[in-house]
Amino acid sequence: MACVYIPVQNSEEEVRVALDQLPKDASDILDILKAEQAPLDLWLIIAREYFKQGKLDQFRQILEEGSSPEIDDYYADVRYERIAILNALGAYYSYLGKIETKQREKEEHFILATQYYNKASRIDMHEPSTWVGKGQLLLAKGEVDQASAAFKIVLDGDHDNVPALLGQACVEFNRGRYSDSLELYKRALQVYPNCPAAVRLGIGLCRYKLGQFEKAQQAFERVLQLDPENVEALVALAIMDLRTNEAAGIRKGMVKMQRAFEIYPYCAMALNYLANHFFFTGQHFLVEQLTETALAVTNHGPTKSHSYYNLARSYHSKGDYEKAGLYYMASVKEVNKPHEFVFPYYGLGQVQLKLGDFRSALSNFEKVLEVYPDNCETLKSVGHIYVQLGQADKGQEFLRKATKIDPRDAQAFLELGELLISSDTGAALDAFKTARTLFKKGGQEVPIELLNNIGVLQFERGDFQLAQQTFEEALGDGIWLSFINDEKKSFVDAAASILQFKEMQLFHDLESNGHHVEVPWDKVTVLFNLARLLELLNKSGAASILYRLILFKYPDYIDAYLRLAAIAKARNNILLSIELVNDALKVNEKCPNALSMLGELELRNDDWVKAKETLRAASDATDGKDSYATLSLGNWNYFAAVRNEKRNPKLEATHLEKAKELYTRVLIQHSANLYAANGAGVVLAEKGHFDVSKDIFTQVQEAASGSVFVQMPDVWINLAHVYFAQGNFALAVKMYQNCLRKFYHNTDSQILLYLARTHYEAEQWQDCIKTLLRAIHLAPSNYTLRFDAGVAMQKFSASTLQKAKRTADEVRATVAELQNAVRIFSQLSAASNLHIHGFDEKKIETHVGYCNHLLSAAKVHLEAAEREEQQMRQRQELARQVALAEEARRKAEEQRKYQLERRKQEDELKRVQQQEEHFKRVKEQWKSSTHSSKRRERSDDEDGGPNEKRRRKGGKRRKKDKHSKSHYDTEEIGEMIDEQENEFEDADINYREPDAQINDDDGAEENAQGLLAAAGLEDSDVDDRTAAPSTISRRRQALSDSDDDDEPLQRHSSPIGENSAYLQDSDGEVKDRGRTNEDFASDDEKEN
Amino acid sequence: MKLAALKSVDNAHDESVWAVTWVPATSSRSPLLLTGSLDETVRLWRSDDLVPERTNTGHCLGVASVAAHPLGSIAASSSLDSFVRVFDVDSNATIATLEAPPSEVWQLKFDPKGSILAVAGGSSASVKLWDTSTWELVATLSIPRPEGPKPTDRSSSKKFVLSVAWSPDGKRLACGSMDGTLSVFDVARGKFLHHLEGHHMPVRSLAYSPYDPRLLFTASDDAHVHMYDADGGSLVSSMSGHASWVLCLDVSPDGSAVATGSSDKTVRLWDLNMRAAVQTMSNHTDQVWGVAFRPPGGSNVRVGRLASVSDDKSITLYDYS
């Protein structure tokens, strides 16, 4: 039993104090100590004993008494013990300050501690233990550098001062210099091998930090051997176990963690890890309790941050985003730099994203990316946020990066695809396809939305077969298969109910026959899209059944009604179409799409006032934001402007102005609206600004090409009209023809009429007539076309007869055409009616009269022409004979020449023979002589000489011959020409009469024109052509043929008239696209 | 069943070819192909090589329809100037020139026995019947005017009759008009029977099944081919697939298939059992105005033939099997 002996003053006796039996009241001991003037070390021992027993008050009482001024006086020469007492007090208060969590009291403790140490220093400046204490105090206060200085002072004096070494090691550890720290710990251990377990703990931590996990583990285990209850070591080991990330390791780690918790329930680290564990096991109640405790017991920033993070995570997973956000924020606040602890930033980002605070979320995610630049999830989130913020490019960039880093992340490709839909459909399709492959590879079911998106994109690109496959894949097995595939129609013969677009009996029958008629909600959109596709593939029967199937199960699906109405409309079944639209309106009486469609249908029915009201309602239903309704109103005004039969200029101007205003309004809202731009162009053209309108039309045309959904034949027609108006007939013709071929399968008689009109203006009569005949063939009941054909024939004939030179064939054709014209006109006069066709019998009779007049004139022309032709033939015959005679003469001449030549040649030959003979003779004479070689040479020369000469001579002669011959020829021709001239003169005389007739005719025609103008003939000539588009507009009356500039105006009116109908169609499609997009949107929501 | 292109003649006419029919074989020759065109001529072609046999002139404006007598000796052609020319096939001698002003002339069809020529009468809203021995107008089958306070010309222009067809027994006659109305007549009694509902756009061609006198096929600008029970007055089936107007239609001699020509430049073959298009031919580059199956009969003409004519001025001959 340990006891101390207090020597009794002035005696040899001692008072024995058993240390385990110290009195409760320290005053008793103090009295003894004071009374006996016991050495100060005894004071210290007793105080320490109280401390060990946890009797802190007594401990403090003794030490405070022991450091009181009286003692200082009394024990003035006992320096070391006094210092020791002060240092003990200083250390005590340092500790209090260190563990105190309240800032004010903490500081008070530190101040007290500082005072004690300073007092100790005043007793002896150089006492190392004081410096060590000061160092510890500074460490506790976090003033690392000053602490280091304090420890250094001690170590300078004594290299092996263990407390100083430990202190310094601690300093280095805090500075992050783990290897230095490790060295210091090692030295301390060498100097004092029995030092407490804590030293080894320090070594373990250093090693851990240095990444020497095995050695660290050994160190921690040694600590536990020495001190089985050492919480830090337990926690450290537990963490190391957890780090293994294996089930066994984690279990072991958790056991250790639990033990640490049992030993000391206030270790924040252990609490955090336990909380972490319980978070993953889903015991959120425990998480909260543990982390709250941890927060209460620690002041250490990173640890607190962990605790907050755990808490936030717990709330986050429970869906309490507000609270989670607050705690994440608290956690982030405790972190100095993101790279120390980045998770709360991510969590905070997520929560902010959820709460819609994109900018804050973005900044947090970006912090995460600073630490982990390749983190896919974060990249995706950032990408997503950029998309939400409207910075699609940046969003794309991030998502692309994410997909590059992890090319197997189907979700990332999906998001990327969705992002790209609006900007680059091709790339979007690729991304979606990759996502689909990834899903399939991963053995997952491909989401229906994804397949739908792929299908729609393929659809838009015009890959209809692929799109159909994709949609069918998305739909899977179901009742619809029996409607889609022709081959599987076996048990459903839907044909009978095809016309009754509202007929549902089919499905009831199927149900009663035991078939399961079911459409899952997530497949409705795909089904709709497939039906839309079938429509485009001209399988409107199947499409109609699918739409009805949708309506059978989902009677509120307005778009299906509208598509059914559109199919009915395409087949010109207006009444049924209206009925279907009204069904749609029953579902939602303010549905702007349905209202717009109704308006168009009413226009088709020529119900102008009603149509306007309906379109107004459509516009009101969307507060004027629906471009379609506004556009339709614009069109309405335009039609109203050009439709008025009497052409009230004032009214026309107001309507035009109104139309322009409406088009402009749409353009302001949607600067890229093709239809509004087209409309604006039309109004401009109507006002005569052809150059501007041409620019507009050209741009619209360019923009409209390239999508299956945007079909804008109107703009082609309008452009052609502008070319026409500007007199560029060739281009206009080309444009009309292209338009006809491209958009109408050459079936539109109206455009043929425009084409004919252009040919007419370009005076290409036969083209004009042929074009009109084609138009009549396409639209046999359109009498206006016949009238126009008659007029074209009349005009052709008149112009042919006016020509100065024409052949008998031409005149014959003229006569034939005139007869045709007369027949057409007389047929018309019997069959037509002013009110419907815009021309009456009177007018036709005038035409007939004029044609007959021309006909009689033409007959004279014909006779003349035939006569001329005959004379021409005779002349030609004569010329032929002359030519023949000439030929004969020439041949005779040639013959003569030939013989002449031959004779000459014979002469020559003779001469040569003579020479040769002569030469032979000479040769024989020379044979005996010696100059044989020379002789040969000479003979050669002689041989060549005459030959050459002869040749030259012959050539010359021939040339001469030629000369004479050609001269002869020209003479002959001259003669012939003279003859011919004579004949021509004769002919002229013959012609004189008909010429006069022609002049007369011309005069007569002019007169007739003048006269008939009053009767309305020449007018009607033009008038009828306007009458062609008379359903919509009528042409200004007093238009004469030469009025090129004005005429185009009329032309415009009609195409726009067309527009109404076609606009509707194409817009219907556009609307649908909008729909699919909406579907995308809702799919998005579903996914989220 | 299958179509296989055998032969095409480009520029068979100088302009669009609008009409085609087969002239049945006579004892002295095999069947001939008869075509009519916008170039105002009617041409005869020898099958299978489509050798031009003869070119008939005499029409003004385009030739809109041609028809051949079932005996193969005479044929008729009509043009936009509303004349019908009846001529001897082998000699090209004009037998008669028919007109019935003010009515126009569109499709022509001889009745199966060859005693009557039916002519679609355009705006007269009627079908004119001509006796083929006297060439006199024997009857006018008029579509009844719709009931209403004031029957206007407007509605009559909608009833403009474009096409006509005889039932195989010759008892019934059906006609199609601009507004899609189909009317069925009892020929013997000269009586209108009923309308067939379903089309709302011009019906330019229609034909009865050669085996079932009730079954009527129609081709319309609404891009659909309809199959009617002409006696019962009900729509049996509606077949879609053409991208544009269906301009012409003919039923195969075996009654199991229908061929159609369309503005979408294609010729389609429809299997009547499946009620679906089984083949699409794209030999033409413009609207296909006429299709015609070769009637059976004559020597070595067991094999099926189909001819089509188009705006692209060409004729195409197919093997049908």
Side-chain angles (χ1 to χ4, degrees), chain B residues 38-59:
Chain B
L38 171 61
D39 68 7
E40 306 181 355
T41 66
V42 171
R43 286 184 184 177
L44 279 159
W45 309 82
R46 236 188 353 248
S47 183
D48 275 346
D49 295 321
L50 296 182
V51 182
E53 179 91 1
R54 197 176 57 242
T55 300
N56 298 349
T57 54
H59 275 294

Side-chain angles (χ1 to χ4, degrees), chain A residues 885-901:
Chain A
E886 159 64 11
E887 181 73 3
R889 222 179 311 173
R890 213 185 63 225
K891 268 187 183 155
E893 174 73 5
E894 260 173 28
Q895 189 68 21
R896 196 171 52 87
K897 266 182 226 151
Y898 175 69
Q899 279 170 357
L900 211 92
E901 186 142 331

Side-chain angles (χ1 to χ4, degrees), chain A residues 489-747:
Chain A
K489 261 183 188 164
S490 50
F491 69 94
V492 195
D493 190 5
S497 61
I498 275 171
L499 286 180
Q500 285 74 46
F501 281 77
K502 297 167 73 185
E503 177 67 57
M504 295 293 180
Q505 193 56 42
L506 162 72
F507 305 115
H508 290 296
D509 287 351
L510 276 177
E511 271 191 338
S512 59
N513 285 345
H515 292 294
H516 197 53
V517 180
E518 198 51 66
V519 181
W521 63 269
D522 54 346
K523 289 184 177 170
V524 175
T525 304
V526 189
L527 205 56
F528 182 88
N529 286 336
L530 178 60
R532 192 72 195 78
L533 175 67
L534 288 171
E535 237 188 286
L536 222 68
L537 290 172
N538 306 313
K539 295 179 186 162
S540 56
S544 136
I545 296 177
L546 290 187
Y547 288 134
R548 271 180 288 158
L549 175 64
I550 293 174
L551 288 176
F552 180 63
K553 283 289 159 189
Y554 303 91
D556 287 351
Y557 205 95
I558 287 182
D559 292 278
Y561 281 116
L562 291 183
R563 284 321 304 172
L564 281 175
I567 295 176
K569 198 182 136 209
R571 299 193 61 178
N572 207 24
N573 196 344
I574 304 296
L575 290 180
L576 178 62
S577 191
I578 289 180
E579 207 175 309
L580 284 160
V581 173
N582 280 330
D583 282 344
L585 286 174
K586 264 179 222 154
V587 178
N588 175 8
E589 61 176 4
K590 284 204 160 36
C591 173
N593 291 352
L595 284 170
S596 301
M597 185 139 184
L598 186 60
E600 292 299 336
L601 287 167
E602 283 164 350
L603 262 187
R604 267 251 188 136
N605 257 2
D606 247 359
D607 211 339
W608 286 72
V609 183
K610 228 175 166 181
K612 189 174 185 180
E613 275 170 20
T614 314
L615 291 175
R616 279 249 170 82
S619 182
D620 290 347
T622 54
D623 292 330
K625 279 187 191 110
D626 186 77
S627 315
Y628 187 79
T630 317
L631 268 178
S632 302
L633 277 174
N635 287 349
W636 189 96
N637 273 293
Y638 177 76
F639 303 150
V642 291
R643 133 183 228 268
N644 200 328
E645 307 259 329
K646 294 235 169 71
R647 282 253 173 186
N648 180 346
K650 226 184 205 169
L651 209 62
E652 187 187 322
T654 10
H655 278 310
L656 269 186
E657 209 42 56
K658 182 78 186 161
K660 190 182 160 195
E661 182 201 317
L662 287 162
Y663 291 138
T664 318
R665 196 192 298 163
V666 175
L667 276 178
I668 289 168
Q669 282 171 357
H670 306 281
S671 55
N673 190 309
L674 296 176
Y675 302 97
N678 185 35
V682 168
V683 174
L684 282 168
E686 199 70 54
K687 290 181 172 173
H689 307 299
F690 294 128
D691 286 326
V692 188
S693 60
K694 190 160 89 184
D695 278 355
I696 294 176
F697 291 141
T698 313
Q699 284 181 33
V700 172
Q701 189 196 19
E702 271 170 27
S705 56
S707 166
V708 275
F709 291 102
V710 187
Q711 300 267 313
M712 275 192 78
D714 316 328
V715 73
W716 291 63
I717 297 170
N718 288 334
L719 204 50
H721 285 332
V722 173
Y723 284 130
F724 175 82
Q726 292 183 329
N728 194 344
F729 299 130
L731 256 180
V733 166
K734 214 173 210 175
M735 202 62 116
Y736 285 131
Q737 281 172 341
N738 283 342
C739 177
L740 251 182
R741 200 175 42 239
K742 198 172 155 129
F743 298 103
Y744 297 103
H745 296 104
N746 286 343
T747 58

Side-chain angles (χ1 to χ4, degrees), chain A residues 486-487 489 493 495-496 498-499 537-542 567 569-574 606 741 744-749 769-783 786 793 816-817 820 823-824 827 830-833 835-837 1031, chain B residues 15-16 18 38-40 60-62 64 80-83 99 102-104 106 123 153-154 157 160 162 178 197-201 204 221-222 224 226 228 235-238 240-245 247 263-265 268 274-277 286-287 289 311:
Chain A
D486 300 324
E487 291 81 7
K489 261 183 188 164
D493 190 5
I498 275 171
L499 286 180
L537 290 172
N538 306 313
K539 295 179 186 162
S540 56
I567 295 176
K569 198 182 136 209
R571 299 193 61 178
N572 207 24
N573 196 344
I574 304 296
D606 247 359
R741 200 175 42 239
Y744 297 103
H745 296 104
N746 286 343
T747 58
D748 194 288
S749 58
I769 293 167
K770 282 280 186 297
T771 309
L772 282 169
L773 288 179
R774 277 178 212 281
I776 294 170
H777 191 223
L778 285 168
S781 62
N782 187 343
Y783 282 173
R786 289 164 182 268
M793 291 168 186
E817 291 290 28
N820 284 336
R823 182 164 171 81
I824 285 179
Q827 273 181 350
S832 74
N833 176 303
H835 296 293
I836 303 154
H837 304 109
T1031 41
Chain B
E15 284 286 347
S16 305
W18 281 347
L38 171 61
D39 68 7
E40 306 181 355
C60 293
L61 315 186
L80 291 187
D81 62 0
S82 303
F83 279 115
E99 63 167 331
S103 117
E104 292 93 347
W106 288 93
S123 62
D153 272 6
R154 195 179 187 88
S157 87
F160 193 105
L162 283 170
M178 278 302 280
E197 302 289 331
H199 288 300
H200 295 269
M201 289 169 91
R204 292 174 196 268
D221 285 4
D222 63 14
H224 284 67
H226 281 185
Y228 288 96
L235 177 64
V236 180
S237 178
S238 174
S240 56
H242 276 300
S244 185
W245 299 0
L247 300 170
S263 292
D264 67 10
K265 306 173 189 172
R268 273 175 190 251
M274 282 158 65
R275 291 178 189 175
D286 209 336
Q287 317 191 57
W289 277 106
D311 256 355

Side-chain angles (χ1 to χ4, degrees), chain A residues 225-288:
Chain A
Q225 280 172 9
L226 297 171
D227 176 7
E229 307 241 304
N230 188 307
V231 176
E232 279 89 351
L234 262 176
V235 170
L237 277 174
I239 289 173
M240 290 183 76
D241 282 340
L242 289 178
R243 278 182 55 102
T244 58
N245 235 347
E246 287 158 20
I250 290 172
R251 211 170 303 124
K252 251 164 68 190
M254 283 324 292
V255 169
K256 286 186 184 124
M257 215 51 108
Q258 219 160 338
R259 238 184 77 213
F261 177 71
E262 279 157 11
I263 296 164
Y264 181 69
Y266 302 112
C267 173
M269 188 80 90
L271 289 169
N272 275 339
Y273 273 96
L274 283 169
N276 189 24
H277 175 75
F278 288 122
F279 172 78
F280 283 113
T281 57
Q283 289 152 291
H284 294 295
F285 174 71
L286 284 173
V287 175
E288 276 160 47

Side-chain angles (χ1 to χ4, degrees), chain B residues 130-145:
Chain B
W130 299 81
D131 187 301
T132 55
S133 49
T134 61
W135 297 112
E136 275 176 14
L137 184 65
V138 288
T140 298
L141 303 175
S142 292
I143 301 173
R145 307 247 155 177

